[in-house]
């Protein structure tokens, strides 16, 4: 299996999805898993940590960064002008911030132009076994593959909360999928986005990814790939581009997450707080897109869930990362290790790039809720697995909400 991790932009070759990969590692299997989280390319990416912050920018010629972010950058010896002019491409370990408190993501106006977004979508893949064995916990039979169905355009009419996540990693520009979720501190006015941990942080052997940006309803009109080459930014990102001014993932992911074997997958989730690239018009992300999903941290047990729907922008063949798909299936259980939380698993043919995409099901209150996110799956596709959201996930969610409660 491989994690469905992010993929690198032009080099976005084919990579297995990050989400699935943590499993093999936990089992001590030798096969490697790849994740597609970012730009649907290579990239993987924990609950109580608190990375933070971002920047608000003025015009395209001048990078304006809040004092707290500016001080954070200076603390790590980062020159703001050099950062804007390409220093962010320096992935030397000394400059690759990794601790939760180190997250910084200054807005660079128009960095994510249509061409760069379009090309960040093909994760490199590596052939690996399509299933796992030797689980110590409860694992149900491998599900029958469910063919991903294309979402009818315009996507915003049925799934206004869904979108595509872009970011830069040492391997290039990558993509993942993400979902707008409700913010308890700002009812009806949320600026919070849910995705996979491996879409924002490399895990045990790396640090925070850079230039993390969310595009709700990416390619909302479902333009053909050929037309996208000439599409305007307004066509590709009809509701704008939102930069993560704060990101938080589980400490378990930061300390033990990895790109193969499913390592860290049960804790592979992250919450972002975002801000519009062009400056605020007074409306929140939730108000702009017209919706946000509640998150259920006490979803019914697997036997009581009739179906779950996974959503995302798969980018590895036979998909191209430019269109929104979904899979609906009755979930089963996947245990990577007896001492770790059991994950949800469904049949699905989506590939890398779908990482981080929200799983929707009827929550404990009887209403549609986000109950998981795509984390891992076999390189050969066929199924996806996502973490069951419990106290660790709620800790991350509450922490981000509380941080911005007074703003």
């Amino acid at each position: 299996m491989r994690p469905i991790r992010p993929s690198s932009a032009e080099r976005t070759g084919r990579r297995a999805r990050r989400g699935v990969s943590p499993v093999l590692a936990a089992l001590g299997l030798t096969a490697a898993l790849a994740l597609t989280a970012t730009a649907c390319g290579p990239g993987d990416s924990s609950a109580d940590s608190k990375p933070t912050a971002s920047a608000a920018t003025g015009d395209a010629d001048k990078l304006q960064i809040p004092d707290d972010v500016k001080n954070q950058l200076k603390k790590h010896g980062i020159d703001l002008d050099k950062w804007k002019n390409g220093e962010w491409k320096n992935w030397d370990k000394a400059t690759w911030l990794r601790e939760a408190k180190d997250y910084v993501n200054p807005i660079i106006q128009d960095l994510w132009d249509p061409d760069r977004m379009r090309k960040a979508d093909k994760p490199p893949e590596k052939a690996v076994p399509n299933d796992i064995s030797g689980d110590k916990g409860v694992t149900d039979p491998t599900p029958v593959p469910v063919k991903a169905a294309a979402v009818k355009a315009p996507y915003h009419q049925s799934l206004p909360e869904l979108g595509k996540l872009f970011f830069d990693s040492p391997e290039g520009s990558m993509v993942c999928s993400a979902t707008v979720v409700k913010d308890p501190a700002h009812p009806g006015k949320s600026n919070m986005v849910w995705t996979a941990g491996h879409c924002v942080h490399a895990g045990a052997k790396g640090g925070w990814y850079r230039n993390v940006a969310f595009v709700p309803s990416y390619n909302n009109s479902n333009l053909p790939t050929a037309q996208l080459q000439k599409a305007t930014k307004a066509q590709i990102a009809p509701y704008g581009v939102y930069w993560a001014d704060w990101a938080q993932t589980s400490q378990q992911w930061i300390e033990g997450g990895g790109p193969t074997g499913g390592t860290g997958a049960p804790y592979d989730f992250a919450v972002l707080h975002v801000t519009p690239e062009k400056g605020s018009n007074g409306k929140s992300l939730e108000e702009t897109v017209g919706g946000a999903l509640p998150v259920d941290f006490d979803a019914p047990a697997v036997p009581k869930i009739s179906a779950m729907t996974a959503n995302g922008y798969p980018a590895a063949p036979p998909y191209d990362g430019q269109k929104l798909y979904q899979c609906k299936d009755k979930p089963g259980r996947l245990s990577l290790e007896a001492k770790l939380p059991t994950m949800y698993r469904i049949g699905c043919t989506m590939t890398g790039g779908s990482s981080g995409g929200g799983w929707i099901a009827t929550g404990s209150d009887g209403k549609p809720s986000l109950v998981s996110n795509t984390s891992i799956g076999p390189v050969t596709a066929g199924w996806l697995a996502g973490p069951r959201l419990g106290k660790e996930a709620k800790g991350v969610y509450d922490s981000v909400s509380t941080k911005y409660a007074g703003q």
Side-chain angles (χ1 to χ4, degrees), residues 188-191 242 276 279-289:
K189 298 183 178 182
S190 175
N191 284 303
Y242 290 76
S280 177
N281 61 0
K283 285 188 176 182
S284 65
L285 173 59
E286 180 177 0
E287 291 172 305
T288 299
V289 303

Side-chain angles (χ1 to χ4, degrees), residues 358-384:
W359 289 26
I360 302 173
T362 300
S364 54
D365 62 356
K367 299 179 181 179
S369 302
L370 184 143
V371 296
S372 186
N373 59 261
T374 297
S375 175
I376 58 174
V379 175
T380 52
W383 57 262
L384 298 176

